[in-house]
Amino acid sequence: MSAPDRAAPNAAVVVAARGPAGIARREFRKHATLVAALAALVAVGAITKGADFLSTGNLITILTLASVIGVVTVGMTFVIVGGGIDLSVGAIIALSSVWCTTTATQSYGVAGMVFSALAVGAACGLLNGVLIAYGTLVPFIVTLAMMVAARGLAEEISGRQSQLVTTDLLRLAQDRVLGVPLLVYLFLVVVALGWILLERTTFGRRSCAVGGNPEAARLAGIDVRRHTLLLYVISGVCCGIAAVMLTAQTTTGASTNGQLYELDAIAAVVIGGTLLSGGYGTITGSILGVLVFTVIEDLFILNNLAQPIQAIGKGAIIVAVLLFQRFGRARAVPVLT
């Protein structure tokens, strides 16, 4: 094991010191809670709406709705595990989608549209990372500024008009394999890659080290500034992918795309058990958090509940989970002695 991996004094490494059995027990308890929450929601859906909720079509709808915000949440997980925050993801999605649809008018084809969306997302993430890592600015302020600037640039480029898409990019949302939209498969690929990178590579362990204790990580040989920059680039690329998916799903690129996605992504990450202070988190937990919120929204829609009720429900769930984590963390995460 390398020096950086040995020197990371964070929750993940502390738990790992207790052995695989300890990790398995802790992960099972955390994820079992989320699975139980999903099971309870499914039971509510079955009781209130029966066949409508449990139908194959509705379950595929839930996965489709979870796909875009799920991709954003993967990127957000990396940033928060690394001790940061990204409030600009929704605005980056808007800017990427507008740039993507603008490229469509220049006859560059689907490949050009996808490349432009990914490039814009990566560039925004790179700028965030440079200002935070090398400019030593506060992540909250930097990403807040990016949120405002990116949304404004999207409005300027689009003239505050929705730009329609009629290219083959729409097939990403329309075509199905085994009855499941291609969007869902793309979502699963991103989740799988994110899980491998965070939980099975040195990069993931170093991300936990940087988020848990940046100074100790630096002394252990990790280039903290470069690593932090890469985390924001990952978030930006995920926003670019999400922009492509959202454009295909809605057939438009607009400056209003991605509204409040940053709040949904952060909420899903928190629900999934990632520490807001950094140093620990899992992709699995974050995606389960996405599914919890998506099922809740689906239940509200099926039961004809108003949007304000949905917002109140989300807020109550976030507070409840935060309280649970606060009072249960002392027992769940052993400390060094």
Side-chain angles (χ1 to χ4, degrees), residues 100-101 103-105 107-114 164-176 182-183 186 244-245 247-249 251:
C100 173
T101 51
T103 302
T105 65
S107 301
Y108 288 114
V110 173
M113 295 174 66
V114 173
L164 295 177
V165 178
T166 58
T167 67
D168 287 341
L169 182 68
L170 301 182
R171 296 182 60 183
L172 186 63
Q174 297 170 350
D175 290 359
R176 300 190 172 209
L182 294 179
L183 282 176
L186 179 56
V244 172
M245 298 170 68
T247 300
Q249 197 172 31
T251 72

Side-chain angles (χ1 to χ4, degrees), residues 196-217:
I196 293 171
L197 184 60
L198 182 60
E199 303 188 28
R200 288 296 182 270
T201 68
T202 301
F203 183 89
R205 292 190 292 273
R206 292 182 175 182
S207 298
C208 291
V210 170
N213 191 324
E215 181 60 19

Side-chain angles (χ1 to χ4, degrees), residues 72-157:
V72 178
T73 301
V74 169
M76 185 68 76
T77 302
F78 278 94
V79 170
I80 294 180
V81 165
I85 196 75
D86 192 349
L87 301 179
S88 63
V89 292
I92 293 175
I93 289 173
L95 180 58
S96 297
S97 70
V98 167
W99 215 298
C100 173
T101 51
T102 300
T103 302
T105 65
Q106 307 301 317
S107 301
Y108 288 114
V110 173
M113 295 174 66
V114 173
F115 175 79
S116 65
L118 296 180
V120 169
C124 291
L126 179 65
L127 182 56
N128 279 338
V130 167
L131 293 174
I132 292 167
Y134 293 92
T136 65
L137 299 179
V138 179
F140 182 91
I141 299 301
V142 171
T143 57
L144 182 64
M146 176 62 74
M147 177 179 72
V148 176
R151 187 77 68 180
L153 183 56
E155 291 180 353
E156 180 67 23
I157 293 173

